Amino acid sequence: MRNGASAGGYVAPVPLCAVDLSGATPRPTGLAELDRVLGGGFVPGSVSLLGGEPGVGKSTLLLQVLRSVAETGAVVVLVSAEESSAQVRLRAERLGPVPPTLLLLEETDVRAVAGILEDCSPALVVVDSIQAVCDPTTSGLPGGVPQVRACAEFLVRLAKTHAVPFVLVGHVTKDGTLAGPRVLEHLVDTVMTVEGDRHHALRMVRATKHRFGPTGELGLFAMGDAGLTAVTDPHRLLLGDRRPGIAGSAVLAAMEGQRALLVEIQALWAPASSDSAPPRRSAQGVDGGRLALLLAVLEQHGGVVLGRTDVFASAVGGIRVTEPAADLALVLALASAVATIAIAPDVVAFGEVGLGGEIRQVPQAERRLSEAARIGFRRAVVPASCPDGPPGIELLRVESVSEATTLALARAGDRSVTRQRLSA
Ligand code: TYD
Ligand code: MG
């Protein structure tokens, strides 16, 4: 049922419950981890932006998507404005045999894309990248704001008119300063990012804007010799190299969308390298502002005296955790580092730390506990109001940072600790 014309010649409203949904059904990409992020796949006529730093794996991921869709017999097109046809073919062959319905157009003129839609009615079009194409009717250099905007507006119109899903690649620098993607975010239906540390295999795909489904779901891939493969058991990658008995390490039961992840948080301190400059605070994979705040809380409320020390904190494996639920594990790792007392290997933690040193409840405690128990953790340091977890994991409910650090750092035979010790 389409809008009907009313008496005045204007379009009349229709009952919302009668609106046709067939056009808004996502089509699976065949990459389960990506479909998880998208809530099923790409919706016909939608335009998605895939952002990420150069070299993170955007072109590889999209080539795999194109291959996967082409393997169903559908025609798909890659518009390559950055790489030559030969370069693209070389990459594609690394990933396996190339289906014949995967078409390539080496082109920088965005207007040429219109021809593809007339000629071969593709099921998916990828433009790599939006910074490298240009619109001859607009002034400015490719990658500049006027060009990026004009090209994106043109492609959005094409996608909607032909009901074909488009994916645009957008490069972002480390600080996200490049004008392009920011301009684009408003024009497209979905914004996804690929993140990952060049030195680690793990690649994380998230949707930060999604008009057709939830945001916050995480897709996990590992970059290998034959492209990206789905990571179905992330704890192997994230906790595989963990060595028990080392001070300055705590395991966080984190949530990414609906998925629980066990992440090792590490901390290290060293005497300040300079007497005059402020001590260093280095955060990798954890929030730098949060680290500074937690150090202050530890000094004020946790009895942990840092003085003039450089402090380093990181989430292991190239993952990034930003949720406040990471606070408690970070605090435990810091306290363990300062006291040089290791936390026992069967302990996980989660909880938000308030400025008063209180430990606050966080969402999805049951899921975090279930995953920790499944992987073999037996004890969890959690906020006092945490609901019960599954059998097999003992909850150590704590109300304050000092209570948590006392538990974690008590030495064998320490009489002041009446509750169970967590130290190794
Ligand atoms: P690429 O997809 O070109 O990144 P982007 O498009 O985001 O700039 O990926 C580049 C990196 O991925 C490059 O360093 C090589 C590496 N890579 C692999 O490790 N394995 C592979 O199979 C492929 C195709 C690339
Ligand atoms: Mg690329």
Side-chain angles (χ1 to χ4, degrees):
M1 179 170 170
R2 187 81 177 100
N3 298 330
S6 71
Y10 296 107
V11 175
V14 297
L16 181 57
C17 57
V19 169
D20 182 14
L21 279 180
S22 59
T25 310
R27 308 256 170 89
T29 65
L31 271 63
E33 286 295 302
L34 186 63
D35 290 341
R36 167 205 285 267
V37 175
L38 291 167
F42 291 117
V43 171
S46 70
V47 178
S48 306
L49 174 69
L50 184 69
E53 289 170 29
V56 76
K58 301 179 294 298
S59 302
T60 305
L61 176 64
L62 292 175
L63 197 53
Q64 288 182 236
V65 171
L66 289 165
R67 291 169 54 91
S68 163
V69 178
E71 272 162 10
T72 67
V75 172
V76 296
V77 183
L78 170 61
V79 180
S80 181
E82 271 184 15
E83 289 174 294
S84 71
S85 305
Q87 277 174 312
V88 176
R89 178 160 179 202
L90 281 175
R91 182 194 280 112
E93 299 212 322
R94 249 179 112 168
L95 308 172
V98 186
T101 52
L102 197 175
L103 309 183
L104 176 73
L105 178 71
E106 189 187 327
E107 181 60 80
T108 53
D109 182 346
V110 77
R111 304 262 152 183
V113 181
I116 304 175
L117 292 156
E118 307 289 340
D119 299 345
C120 41
S121 13
L124 176 67
V125 177
V126 170
V127 178
D128 190 354
S129 68
I130 191 69
Q131 274 105 5
V133 286
C134 69
D135 174 10
T137 64
T138 303
S139 60
L141 291 171
V145 174
Q147 275 291 347
V148 164
R149 186 197 302 270
C151 292
E153 279 170 353
F154 179 77
L155 294 171
V156 167
R157 253 194 325 274
L158 274 186
K160 307 278 173 236
T161 315
H162 295 266
V164 171
F166 270 62
V167 186
L168 317 180
V169 173
H171 295 295
V172 203
T173 52
K174 244 195 165 53
D175 51 359
T177 48
L178 201 61
R182 286 275 170 270
V183 176
L184 285 167
E185 277 168 22
H186 303 288
L187 292 171
V188 299
D189 301 299
T190 301
V191 180
M192 287 186 289
T193 56
V194 192
E195 294 166 17
D197 181 332
R198 206 172 265 274
H199 306 292
H200 288 96
L202 191 66
R203 297 289 179 272
M204 292 151 281
V205 181
R206 298 173 214 264
T208 52
K209 165 182 175 178
H210 194 22
R211 286 191 181 140
F212 301 102
T215 56
E217 279 313 314
L218 178 72
L220 287 177
F221 295 91
M223 179 67 91
D225 289 338
L228 295 156
T229 45
V231 175
T232 45
D233 50 355
H235 68 278
R236 278 183 211 279
L237 213 68
L238 295 171
L239 299 178
D241 295 329
R242 190 167 149 246
R243 283 171 47 210
I246 295 194
S249 161
V251 177
L252 159 71
M255 284 306 296
E256 288 285 354
Q258 295 301 308
R259 172 185 236 163
L261 285 180
L262 281 297
V263 180
E264 184 183 3
I265 306 289
Q266 290 187 332
L268 179 71
W269 68 274
S273 43
S274 155
D275 280 342
S276 49
R280 274 186 71 186
R281 301 287 181 250
S282 162
Q284 253 185 7
V286 292
D287 187 72
R290 215 67 205 162
L291 171 64
L293 184 147
L294 294 174
L295 285 169
V297 172
L298 262 178
E299 289 217 26
Q300 282 271 324
H301 302 287
V304 175
V305 182
L306 281 151
R308 284 195 57 80
T309 48
D310 291 340
V311 177
F312 307 87
S314 70
V316 177
I319 196 147
R320 188 172 59 89
V321 280
T322 50
E323 53 164 357
D327 289 354
L328 186 53
L330 187 49
V331 155
L332 292 181
L334 289 164
S336 160
V338 172
T340 59
I341 298 174
I343 294 171
D346 67 340
V347 174
V348 288
F350 58 83
E352 181 176 352
V353 172
L355 292 187
E358 76 282 12
I359 310 293
R360 294 168 175 270
Q361 180 58 298
V362 296
Q364 296 179 291
E366 284 103 332
R367 271 184 197 248
R368 298 174 199 264
L369 291 167
S370 297
E371 181 66 1
R374 188 183 73 78
I375 292 173
F377 289 90
R378 292 287 159 257
R379 292 179 290 172
V381 190
V382 297
S385 54
C386 182
D388 287 339
I393 190 156
E394 184 188 352
L395 299 197
L396 300 150
R397 295 187 166 91
V398 289
E399 284 183 353
S400 66
V401 162
S402 64
E403 201 183 332
T405 52
T406 309
L407 265 186
L409 305 179
R411 290 186 189 276
D414 188 340
R415 292 259 176 87
S416 67
V417 178
T418 49
R419 293 175 66 179
Q420 190 183 8
R421 290 184 320 113
L422 297 181
S423 46

